[in-house]
Amino acid sequence: GTVFFATVFGKNAIWGVLIGLAGTIYLVVLASGSEDGQMKMLYAFFPLIGSLCYGFSSNIIKLKLKELKPIIVTGAALMMQAPLTIFLVFYLGILDKVNDSPLHTESFWYIVLLAVMGTSLAVLVFNYLIKHTTVLFAASVTYLVPAFAMMIGFFAGEAISVHYFIGMGIIIFGVWLTNKG
């Protein structure tokens, strides 16, 4: 925000973002190693790229689309990706696989549920936060994604170590500090 959009942040906000990032890095590096003890660092870059995209989109939404309702911004964003999604569904033969196998059918409906709840509603809430709070606060809320992923993993039967709670605590403290100032 500072580099590309000339946004000014207070010291607490900057420290909060850095602390939240440190908590996320802690979770990625220390708490989620693979079975052989080595972290697949390539996969750690995907959340970093996602965070960069969140940074750009939230600033653009706040500065250029502030007169639009969050539902309009969300709908436009999802409609822009719809043609590629529809193309891939047909190109990859996903509907044929769904019709041929009960396992594919079950997986397909879980993906639809994830798309509606985990993407569409989440983006709508995110856009609402951008409109009604600061860009920094809305973006800092995304630091909570690892905590929710941990809870989902717990309910899915994954082993949860003390490192997850430490990382989650660091992230929540960073979000609190960012909101404070």
Side-chain angles (χ1 to χ4, degrees), residues 20-166:
L21 180 61
T24 303
I25 291 170
Y26 180 88
L27 281 177
V28 168
V29 175
L30 291 178
S32 60
S34 65
E35 292 170 359
D36 63 359
Q38 292 188 359
M39 175 65 202
K40 304 293 184 203
M41 291 307 290
L42 171 66
Y43 299 112
F45 286 108
F46 292 136
L48 181 63
I49 293 167
S51 297
L52 209 61
C53 292
Y54 269 117
F56 276 105
S57 71
S58 57
N59 279 285
I60 291 168
I61 290 167
K62 185 73 170 184
L63 297 173
K64 304 292 184 185
L65 305 175
K66 60 185 165 198
E67 69 281 351
L68 297 176
K69 293 180 181 180
I71 190 82
I72 301 296
V73 175
T74 302
L78 296 175
M79 290 305 294
M80 289 179 68
Q81 70 186 22
L84 177 61
T85 303
I86 293 168
F87 169 76
L88 288 173
V89 164
F90 287 107
Y91 179 76
L92 297 174
I94 291 173
L95 293 179
D96 294 333
K97 292 176 184 176
V98 166
N99 289 329
D100 292 343
S101 164
L103 180 62
H104 284 105
T105 303
E106 183 180 4
S107 298
F108 177 77
W109 287 114
Y110 281 121
I111 290 170
V112 168
L113 179 65
L114 182 63
V116 171
M117 298 300 291
T119 301
S120 302
L121 289 178
V123 170
L124 179 61
V125 170
F126 181 71
N127 288 334
Y128 181 85
L129 283 173
I130 291 170
K131 184 160 182 83
H132 297 288
T133 66
T134 65
V135 170
L136 187 60
F137 175 72
S140 69
V141 170
T142 63
Y143 279 135
L144 296 173
V145 170
F148 282 99
M150 183 187 81
M151 287 189 294
I152 291 168
F154 174 77
F155 289 115
E158 292 182 11
I160 305 296
S161 75
V162 69
H163 292 295
Y164 288 108
F165 293 102
I166 293 169

